[in-house]
Amino acid sequence: QVQLVESGGGLVQAGDSLRLSCAPSGRKFSSFSTYDIGWFRQAPGKEREFVAAINWNGDRTSYADSPRGRFTISRDNAKETVSLQMNNLKPEDTAVYFCAADPTKGWGTPRLATEYGSWGQGTQVTVSS
């Protein structure tokens, strides 16, 4: 498994943008390019929910209905980074955002939290109205 660290969260106003990043913590992780990566979020009092995912080489992505069209997931395997660009943020996007990783299953972009074995500690995103 790989240890992950998220960054880029913060407090913004509705309509603003944020860019979250996810990367292996510590030293270079040579197998990063063979992992599928997902972003999930958890708001207070709610269950963790899927946001977006990208497969190992970046040619497949999937999104939950709510952020589709506003969020974009991408990856740079050379830099061992996955990004989540979030535009036109809404108060309902307020949550702790987690990235997750798992060795690629080869068939696409896993959307279930149970399909990921490595998780970061999360980064808080707060959107004020």
Side-chain angles (χ1 to χ4, degrees), residues 13-110:
Q13 294 185 334
D16 286 350
S17 298
L18 279 176
R19 187 176 182 89
L20 305 184
S21 293
C22 171
S25 64
R27 62 182 179 181
K28 184 175 177 65
F29 183 65
S30 61
S31 297
F32 183 80
S33 63
T34 66
Y35 276 59
D36 297 328
I37 306 291
W39 281 98
F40 293 77
R41 66 188 182 186
Q42 188 166 16
K46 295 187 177 181
E47 294 186 353
R48 191 169 298 189
E49 64 175 4
F50 171 75
V51 176
I54 189 166
N55 74 330
W56 65 279
N57 68 353
D59 68 353
R60 295 183 182 182
T61 59
S62 64
Y63 298 90
D65 288 342
S66 175
R68 185 177 291 118
R70 300 185 296 120
F71 292 7
T72 303
I73 189 171
S74 61
R75 70 188 296 162
D76 184 337
N77 283 340
K79 296 182 178 179
E80 296 188 350
T81 300
V82 171
S83 298
L84 184 68
Q85 177 66 42
M86 306 187 296
N87 297 329
N88 190 24
L89 283 160
K90 303 176 180 181
E92 52 263 42
D93 294 318
T94 295
V96 178
Y97 283 71
F98 301 88
C99 68
D102 210 68
T104 186
K105 298 170 180 60
W107 47 259
T109 51

